[in-house]
Structures are given as C-alpha cells and as structure tokens.
Amino acid sequence: MPNPTPEKAPKKHRRIQWLPFLGSMNLAVTLLMMLAIASVIGTVLQQNQAFQDYIIKFGPFWTQVFNSLGLFHVYGAAWFILVLLFLLISTGVCVSRNAPGFLKDMKQYSEGLSLNAYKHQPQSVTYTPENFDSEQAEKLLQQQGYKVRLHERDDGLTVAGMKGRWNRWGYILTHVSIIVICIGGLLDSNLLLKARELTGNLAPETRSVPLGEIPQKSWVGSDNFSFRGTVNVAEGQKSDVLFLPYDRGFLVQKLPFTIDVKDFRIEYYDTGMPKNYASDLVLTAPELEEPIEKTIEVNKPLYYKNYAIYQSSFGDGGSKLDLKVHPLLAREFKPLEMNTSVDQVETINTPVGKYRIEFNDFKLHNIIPASEEEQNETGKKMHNNGPSIVFKVRNDQGKAWEYENFMTPDKQDGRWFFMTGMRTSTAEPFRYLFLPADEGRGLDRFFEYLTLINDPERTQATLNDALPAEGVDERTHQMQLKLMNQLLMLFRRQGFNGITSFVEENVPPEEQKRVRDYYINQTSLALQTLYLSVLEKEETQDLESISEFNKQWFEDAMVVLNSLSNYGPPLYFELENFTHIQSTGLQITKSPGKDVVYFGSTLLIIGVFFLFYLRQKRLWLAFDNHHQTLTIAGKDTKPLPETEKEFNRLVEAIQAQTGIKQ
Amino acid sequence: MTTANDAMLKTERQPWGLRDTIWTALILLGSYFAWDVFGSLMDVYEIGILIGTAIFWIWFGRYWPSIQPFTYATALLSLLAIWTYVQNDNAYSVSETAFFLKFLVSSQSAIMWMSALFVLSTVAYFGGLFGKSESVSKFATFLAWAGSVMGSVGMMVRWNESYLINPDYGHIPVSSLYEVFILFAVMTTLIYLFYEQRMRTRAMGGFVMLIVSASVAFLLWYTFDRGAHEIQPLVPALKSYWMKIHVPANFVGYGAFSIAAMVGIAYLIVAKLQEKNPNSDFVQRMPSLESMDDLMYKTIALGFAWFTIATVLGAMWAAEAWGGYWSWDPKETWALIVWLNYAAWLHIRMSKGWRGKPMAWWAVIGLLITTFAFLGVNMFLSGLHSYGEL
Ligand code: HEM
C-alpha cells in the first residue's frame, strides 16, 4: 500500500532535521513500544522492595546492575521520565505540524479543480444524463449528510460535497489529549520535591522515631503542591500530619486541617469476610466555622477543598491487653499479671535473663478457611480463630522471637487447644504449639503439670509416694528415683531427643539400644505418675478408670513438652482480657492534576470515536457544458473496502434522478 | 421519485417502523419497572446508569436490529427463572429441584447450556466450512445466538440469585474471574455475530468460536475443579457503581481484540494456502484477504475505543477506591501495555499503510498480551486488584 500522505517532501538534505525526526511516526511508535516494555519490567520485577530482598533474589552483581538501571523504581527512573518527556515533545511536534494542515483540509471542498482532475479521483464515473438539476443534486447530497458547495467553472458547474470532517478533529483531540494527560500527571508527580532534595533542603527520614524527633529537613509544609500519603489514627485520636513515602524513607507532610477519628468499624458478612470499613471523621480547619463531620468508607471518600480523604487500611490503635505471664521454668503455678497495650514495650527479669517484650498487634478476628470436615459440619467456609496477639520477645543480645498467641482454645479433631506460634524471622511462617485445654477449657491443668515437673523436690516426693519400692532394696529404689528425676530434667530441657543423644554420647554402642529403651520407659513412667498426681489434685477425677479425654490430654501434653525446648525464651503469654482500640489508615491526597487528567481523558475518548467512527468523504458532481456529461467523483481520506460500494450506491441514486441518455 | 431513491440509498438504516416502536416501548416499560421496584434502593449514579443503559439499548436495537429478538429471549427466560423462584418463596435451594430451574434457567444450568451451545456452534461452523454446507453454517449461527442468550440469561439469573442467597451478597455478576469469563464468551460471540451479518460470511465463525470455546473450557475447569461458580459476597473495594460500567466496557475491548487475533490466524492460514493453490476450495470459501484485513482493523478499532473508555473509567474508580487515579498497579500497568500496543498497531496501519501478514501476526501477538493482562496478571502478579485470584 502506498503511503497516504506523500505531500510532505523532504526539504533539506544532509543536515539532521530535528523537527521531522521528533514528529515522526517511527519515533512515536518506538516510544510507545519502549513505554510498554518499561511497564512490563515494572510489573514483572517487584518494585520498591527492601534492598536485601533483591540481593537474595538476584545476587549482589545483578542487583547492582538492575539498581543502576533504575529497574527497582522503573516509574521514577530518569530514563523512564525521559521517554515520557520525549513522547510529550514528539506528540507536541506532531500535532503542531499536522494540525494546521488538517484544519485547512477540513475546509477543503476542492470545488475549484478542473474537470480532468475529477476524472482522476480514486472513484470516478462519467456519463450523459438526461437532465441535470444542480439543486436536486445538492438536496440529495445533503440528505446523505454532505455539506455542499457550488462552483461555476468556465466549462460548467461543480457541486462539491464533504462529510465526516470531524474525523480530522479526532486526530487533534487524541493527540492533544495525550499531552494534556501527561501534563496532568506531571502536576501530580513529586518533581518539585525531587528538586528540593537536589538543592539539599529536603531529606527523607529512614528511621522509625517519634514525630517530635524527626528533623525539620524531613518536613513538608502545607504549601506543597501535590501529595499522596497515609496516616494511621487511633480511635479517639487526631492528626494534622501525613506521611509521604519517599525513596527508601518517608517525609512528614503538614496538613492545613486536623482530623479527629471518632470511631472505626468493620462490618462482616456471615461468612466472616469483611463487608465494609468505615471511619467517623471530624475535620476542623481554621477557616471552617463548623467542623465537617462525615463517615468515610471504601469507595466513599471525604472531599474537602482540593484534598480527598480515603479509607485505605486499618490496624490496631493501642488495644489494652491484660495478660498472664507463665514462666515456663517456674516451680510453682503463680503467673504474673501484666497490664499493657499494643505498641508498648515491657521488660521482664527471669532467672535465665532479662527480656524485652514488644507488643505489636492485636487482632479481634482471625478468619481462615475452614477444614473440609468443619465445612461439612457447619456449612461455613470460613472459621474464626478468635482474638490473638502478636509480640516479640527480645533477649539481652537483641535476638528476637516473634509469637502469635490466641486467646481462646480452638477445636481440632474434636479436642480443644490453645495455639501459640513462634518464629525467629519474619520471612518464615509461624510454627505452632498446641497446648491442650483441660476440661474447663483452660490451661490450669497444663501449668499445674508443668510446674510440677519443673520442681525436683515435689517431683521427688510425688514419685516416692506413688512408686513404692517393690522387690528391690531401698538403695536401688532411691537410685531409680534419682535417675527418673535426672531424666525428667533432661526431658524438660531437650525432650526425648535429649535423652537419646545423651545415651549416644555416654553409653558404649552395644549397650545403647537397651539403655535408651530403659530410659525412655522410665521417663514415661515418671511423667505418667506425675500426671496422675495432677489428676488426683483436681478431685473431680475418677482415678479408677482414666477417661478417654484424660488419656488424650496426656498425649497432647507430651507433644508440647517434647518440643517446648524449641519455643525460645521460657515465657508463655496468656491473653486474659482486652479492650479493643482500632486505628484507621487514612490516605490523603492533594491532586491538582486529577481534573486535568480527567479533562484529557474526555478529549481522548471523544477523539478516538471521531477517528474511528467518522469517515471523511468527498464527492463531486462536475457537469460539463460542452459535452453535456456529468462526472461523479469521490475520494475518502482513508479508503476502506466499503468506500467503493458506497460510491456506487450513490452513483445509482444520482443516475436514477438524472436518467441516463443511451 | 426521490423517495424511491432514498429507500434504496438507506438500505442500511430502516425507517422507523412498528417494530421499533414496540422495542422502544418495551425498553422504556422495563426500565420504568426497574426504577419503580428498585428505585428506592439506587443511588443517583445507579439511576444514571439505568437511564443511560435504556437510551443506549434503544439506540442499539435500531442500529443492530438482531439484538432485539436476542433481548426478548433473554428477558423472557430470565423472567421465567425469577417467576419460578418467586413461586417457591424465593428460596435459592429450589434451583436444584424446581423443574425449569434445574434443567434450563437456574444460572448454573443456563451457563452449562451456554457452554454446550458454544462448543456445538464451533463444531458446526467448521462442519459447514469443510462440509461446504450452507445450512450447517446457518445452524451454527443459530447455535451461537442461542448460546449467547443462555449466557446472558445465566448472568441475569445469577444476579437475582446473589440476592436470594443473602441480600447482603447481592451484586451484578461482573466481579469474579468466573463471572467475567461468561461475560467474555457472550460479548465475543455477539461482536462476532454483528460482523458476520455485516460481512455476509459465516466462514470465519469457527475460528472466532474457537476462542470462545477455549474460554468455555476454562470456565468448566474453573467450575468443577475450583468450585468458582459459587456466589461470593463482594470485597469492600469492589462495591462501587464504577464496577458496573468499567468491567463490561473492558470486555467489549477484550472480545474485539480476541476476534481480531482469530481473524488474524484465519488470514495467515488463507494467505499460506493461497500461495500454494489460489483456487483451492478452502481459499474460495473463506473471505478475501482484503476483507479479513479490514475486519481486523475494524475490530481492533472497536476494541481500542472501548478499551480506552474502560481504562479511563478504571482510573476514575481507582481514584475513588485507592486514592489515586494511577498507581502503577500491575493490572493498571498491563492495561496500559495493551493499550499502547494497539495504539502502535493502529499508527502503523493508518499512517505507514502496512497491511496483511505482519499486521495479522501482530494482532495474534496482541492477543497474547491481552490474555496476560486479563488472566496472567491475576495469576502471577500481586497488586491492588483483589478479585479473581486463581
Ligand atoms: C501516546 C501517544 C499517542 C497515542 C496514544 C496516539 C494515538 C493515535 C491514534 C489512536 C490514532 C488513530 C489512528 C487512526 O487514524 O485510526 C493516531 C493517529 C496518528 N498519530 Fe498518533 N498517537 C500518539 C502519539 C503520536 C505521535 C507522537 C505522533 C507523531 C508523529 C503521532 C502521529 C499520528 C499520525 C500522523 C496519525 C494519523 C493521523 C491521520 O492520518 O489521520 N501520534 N494516533
């Protein structure tokens, strides 16, 4: 196919012609494809992650290469902005070069051409009509949507028609719209902040410190032109600042108003899925006589002047927690009371060291998919594990263990357990211990039992009472009890594995199996004996026949005791009570470019429809006075296959009107 | 004398007739009924959408008269379903027991019918093409229409059912991957049927219905393997009137791009065979290369226009839901990639005048990109778009 716009002949050779290059279609398509490829990279490579994560993924070398190419922040990379800028310039040049011609073309009826020129149009027929009435012809063309002009030639008359000239506006609108949208986007970008950073009077804060300690260099005044940031505000609290993510840290944005959060709510569907998030806000500003009160929800923001306040997330706002701390090595069942709240740090001194406890989060609901069995039972797809706390325990050296403890027991295989999860790195999932609940769905029995095992004197006495010397002399019996006690200590410290490795290290190989079996046997006997004494103390128990529940409980407790040595610092935090205080995550934007972008988008949509659904067509009826012939000629700016058909149909209609002289 | 000529000239645009009057009256009546019953529950935007839909549909029924019987059939069957539910105290469980619902018009049954009809239609189109039977091809067209009707009945009834299960769950079924696949199948088929009429050829039906069948296959796998057909409540971010227009506009785009790609495949096959033997039966029966090239352009132009609207609407929605009209979220970014790709395609064709094979290849590659934007992003990339993870 020939190029449809051959008019633009190159003027000067040799020298690079910048304007034609900038406005060239080749450059435009290249830029479009470059943008597309950059965008692909931006979605395939996770953006704005912590540097460590990249190094783990790609190794130090490639991380370095990728980073210097800006691939971890593609959409902010200098080259990306440059491509955008070029697109802007290129489109600008293109429009400014083409638009005048197009505008002129819109008015071109070409009614002044010679008869011969019409005969050489892409569509053309010449015949001798029986009669030709220009007025009738004009009317017919007008009915078909053509605008018509008449022109008297020396040798006859031309009726020139044109329609669909708005198609040309389509080109102008689409391309201007791209420029408008880019400008709107630039208005909302952080270019001004970047400039301030370059001149050195702005530096993002990278530590997490209280607001008061953030240096002035990381603050941005409310004169900032555009921003988009977030702030978490607890129920009953207020805020007049916002945090803007910036580079690898953040900036503090001063707001010209204050927002009080009265309440935050989550509504749930009956499946347990969240249905709605809502915050009751009160906005006060010096220029407001009355504060604005509004409830915002997802998809229903609060607009104030050129600011918009969105419901974007939620979290804990410092819920009050009443805890019982169980030292896992204690010899008596006497937990400590602790009253604290989320985001607080407490310290505990134990015989094995001093620990800092950082309370990070409280969750009222923990909704997880239900097991198949439970689904069949209740018909519900989701399961609520109830309230939980997340906290870290840190020792003197700074090593931290993170825990997730649930407040209420959860049913598994028909039994009730208190779940407690532990991990030493946030990259890992929690590994859970399941502390078996007693018949009162509590943990009393577990800690009675544990503290008994922890206490050598009580253990000794209990075993002494329960296991009288039978058939052996007193000395052997005492030896056996002592051994049991030592085995129990070993078990408490390292589980059954500890006993096995003790045997492997201290017993000749040929004896190992026998000794190990004996030791494990003795340990189990001791543990069972102690368990019975705990049951005895509960009084309600019938010791003649141990119930299924109690047997099962013992087995479940064994699983826990066996792995308790891997649980980290010997502390268990039992959540007794809480007062739930939530915080709402607000996103606040000042986006002066938004309306510009919307305006550009509207132009774009209109333009695209003009381009595709209006076809610019020209038609000429040229009457030749000499030969009494009529030439009908047509030309579409962008011919399509139907152009020919439409032309023929029109010719038939005209011929039906004028008749054809044979 | 002029009137006769006018009539001949305006073969494309029929004069206003009784048929149009009935059409307009019924659409107005239906919309009024919807407003009368549900108006109190709608906000101003939803009333706006209702009015806009009614006007569009009146216009559309005139622009493409075949959509009228389609709409009547959809409406009647949907009403049959709703009526049966009402007869049974609106209990969702009767979808398994009431005769009409169980075998025909509960959303699940209707969607199964749709699936079967679309696959049969594909087979029939190819049967007609290779068996050189005009009547089989005609039947294929009928099957495609029937499948579209059942698909849209399925969606209408599903809409109703979502409220029956729990009024809290109620929503228009364009919010999960399962639901949009139905939308895709129906939309693509309808757009194809439109061009089939305009071009007076059925030879390309098999090729286009192939991709519809592929989406049906996905749908069935998704139903039986993942249980995705179960109606779930909406997550808060999706509760917006924007969703009601953003998603359908998007799927006009996806549908049109898919057709362009399938026509591109047909083009490449015909071009190849033509080189070998220009007089082979197959080549003779297929549309000319030129008209397939033109169809590719028309469908890409249609898709591009609607995709532009959808992306702009998406940006407006994002501005309301996430606080920013553009966040470089993967789904957004891929929409931009798709859009840029077709913008480049259109530029090359319009201004460089490229035609034929390279453009056909490009249209096919375009579909790969589109498919990634539609499916791949949900499967492989995480982001703010929270619906339909596989
Ligand atoms: C993101 C940027 C751009 C977009 C989205 C865009 C979009 C479009 C679209 C949709 C068309 C319609 C094709 C048709 O007529 O069917 C078009 C045509 C055209 N574009 Fe662009 N364009 C962009 C940038 C440019 C640039 C930078 C140039 C500079 C050379 C350019 C030159 C043209 C030309 C010459 C036409 C054909 C106009 C005609 O002959 O009717 N475009 N553009």
Side-chain angles (χ1 to χ4, degrees), chain A residues 1 25-26 43 75 143-144 188 228 269-271 275 299 310 381 587 589 598 613 638 641-642 656-657, chain B residues 1 5-6 9 168-169 234 237 239 298 302 317 319-323 325 327-328 334 350-352:
Chain A
M1 274 274 156
M25 181 61 86
N26 289 353
T43 57
Y75 311 119
Q143 276 168 359
Q144 295 301 311
D188 285 345
R228 178 172 171 189
Y269 291 112
D270 58 0
T271 58
K275 177 177 163 190
N299 278 316
Y310 303 88
K381 276 188 129 176
Q587 179 163 141
T589 62
Y598 286 1
Y613 294 106
K638 288 182 197 145
E642 53 263 40
Q657 215 174 67
Chain B
M1 148 172 181
N5 295 329
D6 283 350
L9 261 169
D168 260 3
Y169 290 16
L234 286 182
K239 293 179 143 190
K298 287 201 168 116
L302 175 78
W317 182 8
E320 217 172 273
W322 307 330
Y325 50 84
S327 315
W328 295 105
W334 273 91
M350 300 304 297
S351 298
K352 294 255 148 188

Side-chain angles (χ1 to χ4, degrees), chain A residues 1-5 25-26 28-29 32-33 35-37 39-40 42-44 46 75 80 84 87 136 140 143-144 175 178 184-185 188 228 268-271 273-277 297-301 303 310-312 381 587 589 591 593-594 597-598 601-602 604-605 608-609 611-613 638-642 646 649-650 652-653 656-659, chain B residues 1-2 5-6 8-12 43 166 168-169 195 227 230 232-242 290-291 294 297-298 300-306 308-309 312 315-331 333-334 336-337 339-341 343-344 346-355 362 372 381-382 384:
Chain A
M1 274 274 156
N3 192 325
T5 50
M25 181 61 86
N26 289 353
V29 170
L32 292 184
M33 290 328 258
L35 264 188
I37 291 166
S39 304
V40 172
T43 57
V44 173
Q46 289 227 330
Y75 311 119
F80 188 80
L84 274 181
L87 191 71
Q136 258 189 6
L140 192 122
Q143 276 168 359
Q144 295 301 311
H175 291 78
I178 299 297
D188 285 345
R228 178 172 171 189
Y268 295 90
Y269 291 112
D270 58 0
T271 58
M273 278 169 60
K275 177 177 163 190
N276 199 10
Y277 307 104
E297 294 172 23
V298 181
N299 278 316
K300 289 186 187 137
Y303 296 104
Y310 303 88
Q311 179 68 58
S312 97
K381 276 188 129 176
Q587 179 163 141
T589 62
S591 169
K594 187 167 114 172
V597 170
Y598 286 1
S601 305
T602 315
L604 178 62
I605 292 174
V608 164
F609 273 88
L611 259 180
F612 296 144
Y613 294 106
K638 288 182 197 145
L640 290 178
E642 53 263 40
E646 284 166 3
R649 229 184 287 145
L650 206 80
E652 276 169 38
Q657 215 174 67
T658 60
Chain B
M1 148 172 181
T2 45
N5 295 329
D6 283 350
M8 195 172 71
L9 261 169
K10 294 196 171 170
T11 42
E12 284 166 13
D43 63 24
N166 185 333
D168 260 3
Y169 290 16
Y195 285 111
E230 277 180 42
Q232 298 284 341
L234 286 182
V235 300
L238 292 181
K239 293 179 143 190
S240 164
Y241 53 87
W242 289 109
E290 196 205 3
S291 59
D294 181 57
Y297 162 69
K298 287 201 168 116
I300 285 183
L302 175 78
F304 187 77
W306 282 87
T308 307
I309 296 183
V312 169
M316 292 183 164
W317 182 8
E320 217 172 273
W322 307 330
Y325 50 84
W326 199 262
S327 315
W328 295 105
D329 153 82
K331 194 88 183 174
T333 311
W334 273 91
L336 177 70
I337 293 165
W339 190 80
L340 289 172
N341 174 58
L346 289 165
H347 272 90
I348 290 286
R349 191 187 142 107
M350 300 304 297
S351 298
K352 294 255 148 188
W354 286 23
R355 295 289 135 94
W362 195 346
F372 191 83
L381 309 173
S382 61
L384 298 163

Side-chain angles (χ1 to χ4, degrees), chain A residues 186-309:
Chain A
L186 280 178
L187 286 182
D188 285 345
S189 73
N190 58 5
L191 282 183
L192 281 180
L193 294 182
K194 286 263 183 232
R196 277 181 60 188
E197 190 187 7
L198 281 180
T199 57
N201 58 14
L202 190 75
E205 175 64 76
T206 50
R207 307 162 298 165
S208 59
V209 289
L211 206 55
E213 292 174 30
I214 294 175
Q216 211 48 43
K217 264 195 165 182
S218 304
W219 280 74
V220 191
S222 43
D223 53 340
N224 189 10
F225 193 62
S226 74
F227 56 77
R228 178 172 171 189
T230 52
V231 61
N232 294 324
V233 190
E235 291 169 313
Q237 305 284 316
K238 54 180 142 187
S239 174
D240 60 355
V241 296
L242 191 67
F243 300 95
L244 314 179
Y246 193 85
D247 269 358
R248 288 190 217 160
F250 63 91
L251 299 169
V252 186
Q253 168 74 54
K254 183 90 182 78
L255 293 172
F257 49 78
T258 306
I259 293 186
D260 283 76
V261 175
K262 292 286 169 219
D263 188 29
F264 172 79
R265 290 178 301 280
I266 310 180
E267 290 167 46
Y268 295 90
Y269 291 112
D270 58 0
T271 58
M273 278 169 60
K275 177 177 163 190
N276 199 10
Y277 307 104
S279 305
D280 297 337
L281 304 184
V282 179
L283 186 152
T284 37
E287 69 271 20
L288 278 177
E289 295 192 351
E290 290 265 304
I292 299 173
E293 292 196 28
K294 185 165 178 203
T295 301
I296 61 168
E297 294 172 23
V298 181
N299 278 316
K300 289 186 187 137
L302 161 61
Y303 296 104
Y304 170 64
K305 289 199 177 163
N306 45 0
Y307 303 91
I309 302 163

Side-chain angles (χ1 to χ4, degrees), chain A residues 441-472:
Chain A
R441 298 249 175 100
L443 282 168
D444 287 358
R445 179 190 287 180
F446 183 81
F447 287 109
E448 286 290 356
Y449 186 37
L450 184 69
T451 46
L452 174 59
I453 300 173
N454 286 342
D455 186 342
E457 279 158 32
R458 274 163 63 212
T459 310
Q460 187 90 4
T462 311
L463 293 178
N464 222 343
D465 284 354
L467 302 172
E470 277 170 8
V472 291

